[in-house]
């Protein structure tokens, strides 16, 4: 059973993208990795004081009772669960039962030829057309055939040529280019 409710949807969309002539498999992202700006819920069953909602800070960490700072950047929810489990089991709890879920994704950004460029809340399953709609639509100079998504962290960001149907991920920067004629 999948731990993340949207994981199956993301895998299906990635499969369809790869086999429909879309971006190469390198660009298909099927597993969500936690990063700065995400809010996660960590439940330590039987220990309400240790459970809570945590926003991942700029360094990719959350601060939890007893175990302190936990680096969760680029981990899946299952990897985060295991890391928290191991930290609590190391001298604090006997056989801790931990659950981790994402309750709010980091925002995405839309720039260029849209009426209201800026940061917007991410909604799972969102595509470029949805992002443009959130940005107030394209300006009269917007070129729907020249769309680029910048994906990844600042140190390893890649540029993806996109269509209106390309899936947007949390943290993406969607750029709508200017049409010249």
């Amino acid at each position: 059973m999948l731990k993340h409710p949207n994981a199956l949807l993301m895998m299906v969309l990635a499969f369809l993208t790869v086999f429909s002539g879309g971006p190469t498999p390198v660009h298909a992202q099927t597993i969500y990795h936690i990063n700065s700006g995400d809010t996660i819920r960590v439940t330590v069953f039987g220990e309400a004081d240790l459970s809570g909602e945590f926003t991942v800070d700029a360094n990719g960490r959350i601060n939890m009772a007893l175990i302190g700072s936990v680096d969760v950047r680029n981990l899946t929810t299952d990897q985060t669960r295991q890391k928290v489990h191991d930290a609590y089991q190391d001298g604090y709890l006997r056989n801790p039962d931990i659950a981790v879920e994402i309750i709010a994704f980091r925002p995405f950004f839309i720039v260029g030829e849209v009426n209201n460029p800026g940061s917007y809340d991410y909604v799972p399953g969102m595509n470029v057309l949805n992002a443009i709609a959130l940005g107030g639509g394209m300006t009269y100079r917007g070129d729907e055939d020249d769309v680029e998504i910048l994906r990844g962290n600042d140190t390893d960001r890649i540029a993806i040529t996109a269509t209106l149907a390309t899936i947007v991920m949390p943290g993406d920067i969607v750029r709508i280019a200017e049409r010249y004629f």
Side-chain angles (χ1 to χ4, degrees):
M1 184 168 169
L2 298 171
K3 296 285 182 190
H4 189 277
N6 295 310
L8 180 60
L9 174 64
M10 286 190 267
M11 284 190 282
V12 169
L13 290 172
F15 177 82
L16 292 175
T17 300
V18 170
F19 291 101
S20 66
T24 61
V26 172
H27 303 297
Q29 184 171 350
T30 58
I31 299 174
Y32 186 75
H33 292 90
I34 298 169
N35 212 327
S36 299
D38 288 333
T39 302
I40 62 174
R41 178 180 296 126
V42 178
T43 305
V44 182
F45 295 99
E47 301 290 338
D49 293 341
L50 303 179
S51 301
E53 295 179 2
F54 304 91
T55 299
V56 181
D57 69 16
N59 295 318
R61 298 184 181 117
I62 58 173
N63 287 308
M64 300 191 65
L66 298 179
I67 60 174
S69 182
V70 180
D71 189 4
V72 298
R73 174 175 279 149
N74 294 325
L75 298 180
T76 64
T77 53
D78 195 48
Q79 290 168 330
T80 300
R81 181 197 61 75
Q82 188 63 49
K83 193 169 193 175
V84 171
H85 172 274
D86 293 348
Y88 276 125
Q89 190 167 0
D90 188 24
Y92 297 104
L93 300 173
R94 189 174 300 176
N95 299 321
D97 190 8
I98 312 288
V100 175
E101 62 184 315
I102 298 172
I103 57 173
F105 296 95
R106 61 190 175 275
F108 75 95
F109 305 87
I110 187 162
V111 297
E113 294 300 322
V114 291
N115 289 308
N116 300 308
S119 170
Y120 292 92
D121 290 337
Y122 174 77
V123 177
M126 174 181 290
N127 62 26
V128 170
L129 184 60
N130 302 133
I132 290 170
L134 284 174
M138 273 193 237
T139 66
Y140 70 93
R141 293 183 311 258
D143 186 353
E144 70 181 46
D145 295 324
D146 191 0
V147 178
E148 179 179 64
I149 295 178
L150 300 173
R151 181 166 291 161
N153 298 323
D154 289 333
T155 57
D156 63 352
R157 196 171 299 275
I158 59 171
I160 302 169
T161 302
T163 67
L164 295 179
T166 301
I167 297 298
V168 175
M169 298 297 293
D172 280 356
I173 300 171
V174 179
R175 186 189 63 79
I176 309 298
E178 181 178 4
R179 178 170 41 95
Y180 295 106
F181 296 102

